[in-house]
Amino acid sequence: MISEAVGSVFLWFSRFAIVYVVLVNFSFLVLMLFALRSIREFARSRDKERLEQIFRTRLAPPVSILCPAYNESVTITESVRSLLRILYSQHEVVVVNDGSKDDTLQALIGVFHLSRLDQYYEDTLPTKPVRAVYVSARYPKLVVVDKENGGKADALNAGINASRYPLVCAVDADAVLEEDALLHLVLPMMDRQTFVPVSGGNIRAANGSHIVRGMVERVRLPGKPIVMFQIVEYLRAFLSGRTAQASLNIMLIVSGAFGLFHKATVIAVGGYEVGTVGEDFELVVRISRYLHDRKERFEVCFIPQTVCWTEVPESWATLARQRNRWHRGMLETLVKHRKMAFNPKYGRTGVFGIGYFWLVEAFGPIVEVFGYVLLPVGAVLHLLPLVNAVLFLLVSIGFGVILSLGAIFLEEMSFHRYTRWRELGLLMWYAVLENFGYRQLGLYWRLLGTLDYFRKKTDWGAQQRVGFGTPTPPV
Amino acid sequence: MTAEAADIHQLVVGLFVVIGIIGLEVAAIASYKIEREQREAIEAKTKEAIVGRVIEALDRDEPLIIPLPRGLRGRATRETLIAMIATIRGEARTRLVGALEERGYVERTVRLLRSRRAATRARGCMILGGMLSERANAPLLDRFRNDPDQNVRLTAAEALAEIGNALTSADLIEAVKHSSNWQRLRVANVISRMGETAVPALLDSLADEDEAILRLALDILCDIAHVPEFMPVLRLLAHPSVEIRGRAVDLLGIAGDIDAIDQIIERAGDAVWFVRVRAIKSMERLSVPMSDEVADRYYARLVALLSDEKWWVRQRAAQALANAGSLGYQVLQASVSDAAVSALQMHDIREARA
Amino acid sequence: MPDNGKPLVLVADDDAPTRRLIEVTIRNCGCDVVTAIDGEAALAQIRSLHPRIAILDVQMPRLSGWEVAKELRDDDAAHHTRIIFLSSRTQEHDVLEGFSAGASDYLFKPFSPRELQARIRSMLARDS
């Protein structure tokens, strides 16, 4: 009797799992088709010089770039230099030293000839105490805020307090922006008929590329499989996923590594939330909620041709911790704003945006990990037909390969940053390979993240810094 | 066949379908890349050849012979010549434009203006703007006045400005009703380049009721920085919209003269804080030379603003005092305002550098 | 200085057609020309060849024209090389920044080849 009951549980679960992966992957496919349609227009990149010429005038909105830094002494001066060099008519760079224990601040003071001010601005948003503010006569665009440690969200809020301009661009301290990145990112804020409170850029893995003085000189693929997997994954997530979401106006994540915000709106919703691990996602959701509540029309944009190069983890342990953290952050935000889920009052964002996150991102790892484990086991123990297990694997893995290769196609069709045949071959190979272990590993990490969430972990984990310009041997 | 065998059969079919799709994808990616590489190779070769040929012909004063405007070679030739036209002026440029006209490039591009797709028409306008041929004036003007798509109209206007056929600024201002900020920025750029000839029409449009037009006109005047008659601007200092008041006060600071300073000092008491900030900025711009009476009012206002409710206003006022010479400096040192300290420090830092 | 007595001029611009146009223009006024495709190559050549004049595009990969000029300012050996900036930017503050970086002259794109030749000739005449 018991074995019959167990058998039927397995059977029904297997059917559910199969239907689930079919629907989810099919929706990804549909999203990819939307991405295909919009990416072609982005690929016809606007003439950089003409853009620059127009942005030269005082009529372009000035931007404050916020750069929170914690223990970044290895890379901080190079990053700041590249930010100061960015092509834009009027911008400032606000670096926030979040109580670093190493000599991040000293490095900045030395290289940029900073002088100390005792008071510079007022606390619009509450933050941990600010120790001092530093400015430089030689580099008038640079402001450095030195404060007690409070986490990235707190540092960003301090940056917002210190910023002068109406638009703020949050950039990770170890990220390298291409010089015309800001021009492209600001354009939709000016060009749409609706209000654009948030605009996000594309993130690419810099590992293996040659970066000199804050500019990407040679884009190369690294030899390490772990990085290759992430590169393919980022292509899938950004080029395919976000382009599509933005075109349908359901985009919700603007990466913390690189995003442009309308400052007044951010202040109106209370700034970044301190204490959450997914502060970038949480802020965008909160802004969406706020604007929906006020019945104001808006659009969140994603600009795939603006690129931010960042270093992705090269060790499995660091990567696992990162994905665990991302997942916990996502769950925190979803739970906090659960009122929005499937709620038509929140428009497409609530129904399709948040709804997607619940159904696919939150629920997915549970269903799929159980699917990968239970179904083969069940088939071996004759608790369910072998066919079901095989069908599940076929759909998961097969469809996965199709989607991964689709992302490579999108990349090739639009920006083709990796120009050599060997690199394209490598990308395609890893697009196939990632579905035979890497994706499953990612799902497993996310499942652990779910468990950890329920156990209420809130730490960030440490990410070992490798430093820029020291690439792993290229292919 | 048992049910299970049928299932397995379906699975195998499914597997082959998946493999088939994967194969198609790989083939599509590869063929895309091959096609693109071939295209780029032809373009690069053509460009290299054209550049060599053109420079030689210009150098030796020989006639310029370029390929016909067909296919990839035609497009590569056109792009190369447009890039060179953008780099040089004078006789050499005239010859390059002439070559494009003779070989039919201009005509062919004008045909693009008749396309049904707006994006194609806009692209055609942009290319014509790069070719700098006066033969494009009439078709571009036609697009500017009659095209249903706003982006096409603006691109035509930009192209006409490049070629040097100035549309009146009144025309352009009319064209930006109901535009996005970006489109207004583009028009502003075009009008700005006209310089002082555009000023009369801009001053006229300061009487318009449409706030977007007022903003545009004020922004452009700030860029051109020349206002012979600033009565219309003074009137706008009392406009109900914050954006307009702010820009009007900016403009007076940039292009006005000392006679306007009293009105600006008054504006420094505006209800909205960033108008106050901009007024202080303009006060600073106009502050030299000042009669004693005016100086009294000037300092009095700045000192009053040191206790403003808004931090950025206090800070800006302190900065203005710090930059106002020894008197302002002393006033700051004596002040208890929180903004005074940092303004004094910043001033010292900047002076130390000089 | 090369043996044939012709003054040496360096042209640095990452855009090939522009570089070649300028090269031909200058050759036609009786100078020898060497070229560089980025700032670092330009700096190296100025330091080793000591051209009389260096025409630098403001925006180049690796080192911008401005950065090259700043590096040369501290370099005694390269004192004699005069710098002309070539740029498509026309804002006043860009020009002023160029001069404060050590430029002797400034030329805007689009430039007139005849005007460039005139400036080169007058610069060479001034120095000899």
Side-chain angles (χ1 to χ4, degrees):
Chain A
M1 272 308 292
I2 295 185
S3 78
E4 243 185 58
V6 170
S8 90
V9 164
F10 265 79
L11 185 64
W12 281 103
F13 175 70
S14 74
R15 287 180 182 154
F16 170 70
I18 290 169
V19 170
Y20 180 82
V21 290
V22 166
L23 288 178
V24 164
N25 281 313
F26 188 69
S27 67
F28 281 148
L29 196 63
V30 169
L31 277 182
M32 186 170 281
L33 292 175
F34 274 103
L36 206 72
R37 205 183 54 171
S38 49
I39 212 146
R40 291 227 70 174
E41 19 174 301
F42 284 121
R44 262 180 232 123
S45 62
R46 286 185 167 94
D47 184 359
K48 180 169 98 173
E49 207 176 282
R50 191 158 150 263
L51 258 187
E52 203 206 338
Q53 192 190 60
I54 294 176
F55 274 103
R56 230 182 342 108
T57 70
R58 64 190 299 287
L59 303 164
V63 175
S64 294
I65 299 182
L66 308 179
C67 187
Y70 181 71
N71 289 354
E72 303 275 356
S73 60
V74 176
T75 60
I76 191 72
T77 50
E78 217 176 301
S79 300
V80 172
R81 223 196 282 274
S82 87
L83 290 175
L84 288 169
R85 282 185 83 187
I86 261 192
L87 289 179
Y88 204 74
S89 58
Q90 213 183 346
H91 76 287
E92 64 171 353
V93 179
V94 181
V95 180
V96 182
N97 178 39
D98 196 36
S100 298
K101 294 204 174 60
D102 65 3
D103 58 350
T104 300
L105 184 62
Q106 286 68 19
L108 287 169
I109 293 177
V111 171
F112 296 103
H113 304 96
L114 299 175
S115 311
R116 194 189 155 118
L117 288 179
D118 291 314
Q119 186 183 9
Y120 181 78
Y121 64 88
E122 203 172 46
D123 289 343
T124 320
L125 297 166
T127 68
K128 283 267 161 65
V130 170
R131 295 194 278 243
V133 177
Y134 294 83
V135 295
S136 164
R138 208 183 284 198
Y139 298 89
K141 291 183 185 177
L142 178 60
V143 175
V144 177
V145 176
D146 181 36
K147 63 181 275 290
E148 286 177 23
N149 179 266
K152 187 170 168 193
D154 196 65
L156 282 166
N157 285 339
I160 290 175
N161 286 344
S163 66
R164 270 188 286 169
Y165 297 135
L167 292 179
V168 294
C169 178
V171 177
D172 271 357
D174 60 350
V176 175
L177 296 186
E178 301 205 320
E179 60 172 12
D180 59 351
L182 204 55
L183 292 174
H184 286 295
L185 206 56
V186 174
L187 189 54
M189 288 200 164
M190 303 179 65
D191 204 14
R192 299 279 199 271
Q193 299 288 11
T194 49
F195 174 50
V196 178
V198 186
S199 172
N202 203 357
I203 315 281
R204 286 179 185 261
N207 311 46
S209 295
H210 194 43
I211 298 190
V212 163
R213 285 192 200 87
M215 298 190 73
V216 177
E217 213 160 74
R218 257 198 313 280
V219 175
R220 284 282 180 266
L221 286 183
K224 277 191 163 192
I226 182 173
V227 181
M228 285 301 307
F229 283 133
Q230 289 178 76
I231 289 177
V232 176
E233 195 185 3
Y234 276 47
L235 284 177
R236 219 178 351 101
F238 281 88
L239 274 190
S240 176
R242 291 195 196 183
T243 312
Q245 290 167 355
S247 75
L248 294 169
N249 204 9
I250 54 173
M251 195 174 89
L252 277 172
I253 293 199
V254 166
S255 174
F258 183 36
L260 184 66
F261 295 84
H262 184 245
K263 191 167 82 171
T265 309
V266 175
I267 293 180
V269 300
Y272 285 89
E273 168 115 348
V274 179
T276 177
V277 282
E279 73 281 328
D280 43 4
F281 180 37
E282 202 279 327
L283 180 65
V284 181
V285 174
R286 192 154 23 103
I287 290 177
S288 294
R289 185 173 180 173
Y290 172 80
L291 291 169
H292 271 295
D293 280 340
R294 296 161 75 90
K295 307 233 184 313
E296 283 179 34
R297 288 187 59 211
F298 69 97
E299 202 179 322
V300 174
C301 292
F302 172 67
I303 321 301
Q305 71 264 43
T306 79
V307 185
C308 167
W309 295 89
T310 189
E311 202 188 293
V312 297
E314 288 194 1
S315 91
W316 292 100
T318 314
L319 182 60
R321 274 199 295 272
Q322 183 196 59
R323 296 312 165 93
N324 185 310
R325 177 178 24 104
W326 285 0
H327 201 70
R328 276 186 282 125
M330 185 199 75
L331 287 174
E332 268 181 38
T333 305
L334 286 180
V335 169
K336 181 175 175 204
H337 297 281
R338 58 188 176 279
K339 198 173 129 185
M340 290 175 75
F342 304 109
N343 188 341
K345 182 173 169 242
Y346 292 100
R348 280 192 222 176
T349 319
V351 179
F352 294 108
I354 299 277
Y356 157 83
F357 272 97
W358 275 106
L359 282 180
V360 179
E361 299 284 342
F363 201 39
I366 303 175
V367 173
E368 292 194 59
V369 171
F370 275 98
Y372 279 111
V373 168
L374 291 184
L375 296 194
V377 163
V380 163
L381 296 178
H382 296 293
L383 290 168
L384 51 80
L386 179 63
V387 175
N388 290 29
V390 173
L391 186 59
F392 175 80
L393 290 176
L394 182 65
V395 173
S396 283
I397 297 177
F399 233 129
V401 172
I402 292 176
L403 289 170
S404 302
L405 281 174
I408 308 297
F409 181 59
L410 275 175
E411 159 73 1
E412 193 51 36
M413 209 183 73
S414 57
F415 305 111
H416 44 91
R417 299 300 296 258
Y418 303 104
T419 49
R420 302 193 300 180
W421 269 104
R422 194 143 183 226
E423 291 175 335
L424 183 62
L426 208 63
L427 279 175
M428 287 199 278
W429 169 239
Y430 274 96
V432 173
L433 199 59
E434 76 153 348
N435 292 284
F436 290 92
Y438 177 76
R439 276 184 85 163
Q440 289 73 14
L441 196 53
L443 289 165
Y444 171 65
W445 288 329
R446 287 194 275 158
L447 183 63
L448 289 183
T450 312
L451 292 172
D452 283 342
Y453 169 77
F454 285 110
R455 270 189 264 144
K456 298 276 194 277
K457 268 173 76 174
T458 52
D459 72 301
W460 260 61
Q463 182 163 341
Q464 191 187 35
R465 184 87 294 122
V466 172
F468 260 65
T470 53
T472 42
V475 178
Chain B
M1 213 186 242
T2 62
E4 206 177 279
D7 279 339
I8 293 179
H9 184 251
Q10 280 179 353
L11 265 184
V12 169
V13 167
L15 183 63
F16 274 106
V17 168
V18 167
I19 293 181
I21 297 179
I22 291 173
L24 279 175
E25 281 187 304
V26 171
I29 294 173
S31 72
Y32 212 87
K33 186 170 172 71
I34 292 175
E35 190 250 320
R36 201 189 56 241
E37 288 201 330
Q38 282 177 344
R39 205 176 358 112
E40 287 177 350
I42 296 179
E43 275 178 15
K45 226 176 61 177
T46 311
K47 283 188 175 170
E48 180 65 39
I50 299 290
V51 168
R53 207 191 299 180
V54 166
I55 290 184
E56 241 184 69
L58 286 177
D59 192 30
R60 299 193 197 151
D61 247 340
E62 281 170 7
L64 252 175
I65 304 178
I66 54 177
L68 285 171
R70 265 202 291 271
L72 272 179
R73 289 185 74 206
R75 216 176 63 186
T77 306
R78 185 189 71 206
E79 278 172 21
T80 312
L81 260 67
I82 288 182
M84 292 175 81
I85 287 174
T87 317
I88 50 170
R89 297 182 269 127
E91 195 192 305
R93 173 190 269 186
T94 317
R95 290 188 60 193
L96 290 172
V97 174
L100 284 172
E101 288 174 343
E102 270 166 50
R103 290 301 251 175
Y105 281 86
V106 177
E107 256 179 67
R108 207 161 157 131
T109 314
V110 169
R111 264 191 259 157
L112 287 178
L113 266 54
R114 293 199 273 274
S115 159
R116 264 181 303 169
R117 289 187 62 225
T120 311
R121 296 199 301 275
R123 195 163 51 92
C125 290
M126 204 154 54
I127 297 172
L128 286 172
M131 289 201 274
L132 294 187
S133 162
E134 306 232 326
R135 292 188 193 178
N137 279 337
L140 284 173
L141 206 57
D142 170 64
R143 284 303 91 204
F144 172 66
R145 298 205 195 284
N146 303 322
D147 198 284
D149 183 280
Q150 183 155 56
N151 183 43
V152 176
R153 292 200 298 273
L154 286 180
T155 316
E158 285 171 329
L160 284 164
E162 288 285 326
I163 300 177
N165 180 28
L167 288 165
T168 64
S169 41
D171 273 330
L172 286 165
I173 294 172
E174 184 60 33
V176 287
K177 296 205 168 177
H178 315 299
S179 325
S180 72
N181 287 335
W182 170 241
Q183 289 168 332
R184 277 196 285 274
L185 188 58
R186 288 165 66 187
V187 166
N189 199 39
V190 171
I191 299 182
S192 257
R193 286 164 63 187
M194 290 191 225
E196 293 179 11
T197 54
V199 172
L202 289 168
L203 286 175
D204 281 341
S205 61
L206 290 184
D208 201 302
E209 297 202 328
D210 185 344
E211 198 182 301
I213 300 294
L214 286 178
R215 277 172 60 169
L216 180 70
L218 286 168
D219 278 337
I220 302 173
L221 285 167
C222 284
D223 211 29
I224 300 177
H226 172 75
V227 183
E229 159 67 59
F230 54 86
M231 261 312 282
V233 186
L234 286 176
R235 256 185 270 125
L236 290 174
L237 284 178
H239 196 277
S241 158
V242 168
E243 300 285 335
I244 303 301
R245 292 204 300 280
R247 282 170 172 76
V249 84
D250 274 345
L251 181 55
L252 287 172
I254 293 172
D257 62 40
I258 194 72
D259 292 333
I261 196 160
D262 274 321
Q263 266 102 341
I264 298 178
I265 292 179
E266 200 190 306
R267 219 9 68 194
D270 192 285
V272 178
W273 69 271
F274 58 81
V275 179
R276 300 202 287 276
V277 169
R278 283 154 116 162
I280 297 172
K281 224 156 119 178
S282 291
M283 277 168 68
E284 222 189 319
R285 277 201 170 104
L286 290 184
S287 63
V288 181
M290 273 194 287
S291 70
D292 282 341
E293 271 181 39
V294 177
D296 279 343
R297 289 198 284 275
Y298 183 88
Y299 284 111
R301 175 63 83 181
L302 286 178
V303 169
L305 289 170
L306 282 177
S307 349
D308 190 281
E309 54 164 6
K310 264 287 183 177
W311 160 257
W312 290 111
V313 179
R314 300 200 293 275
Q315 204 236 19
R316 198 65 188 72
Q319 208 178 316
L321 280 169
N323 294 338
S326 54
L327 177 58
Y329 202 84
Q330 283 165 17
V331 168
L332 269 187
Q333 281 180 318
S335 163
V336 296
S337 167
D338 56 356
V341 174
S342 68
L344 285 169
Q345 283 179 331
M346 286 242 257
H347 183 81
D348 289 339
I349 292 169
R350 296 225 168 91
E351 288 298 301
R353 187 216 172 171
Chain C
M1 194 82 125
D3 298 305
N4 56 16
K6 283 204 211 152
L8 183 64
V9 175
L10 169 83
V11 178
D13 193 322
D14 56 332
D15 180 48
T18 311
R19 205 169 55 237
R20 292 184 56 185
L21 268 171
I22 302 180
E23 190 185 349
V24 168
T25 306
I26 298 181
R27 258 187 235 281
N28 285 350
C29 59
C31 302
D32 267 340
V33 180
V34 287
T35 60
I37 58 169
D38 63 51
E40 267 185 26
L43 190 60
Q45 292 202 309
I46 294 178
R47 284 186 167 141
S48 64
L49 297 174
H50 302 302
R52 295 275 299 273
I53 298 177
I55 301 179
L56 306 173
D57 187 21
V58 165
Q59 264 186 298
M60 280 190 286
R62 287 175 161 239
L63 276 182
S64 73
W66 286 332
E67 287 168 326
V68 172
K70 283 190 183 144
E71 294 275 333
L72 288 174
R73 233 183 353 186
D74 308 321
D75 196 335
D76 280 325
H79 232 259
H80 304 291
T81 304
R82 293 204 170 270
I83 296 179
I84 301 180
F85 279 141
L86 184 64
S87 164
S88 53
R89 301 184 186 188
T90 54
Q91 291 284 51
E92 190 187 341
H93 77 266
D94 283 330
V95 179
L96 292 177
E97 208 178 309
F99 282 120
S100 80
S104 302
D105 205 350
Y106 216 100
L107 197 62
F108 298 129
K109 282 196 266 200
F111 66 93
S112 156
R114 291 196 200 286
E115 198 183 316
L116 176 59
Q117 285 178 335
R119 289 194 195 199
I120 299 281
R121 286 199 194 99
S122 91
M123 209 175 259
L124 290 172
R126 244 188 293 157
D127 289 343
S128 47

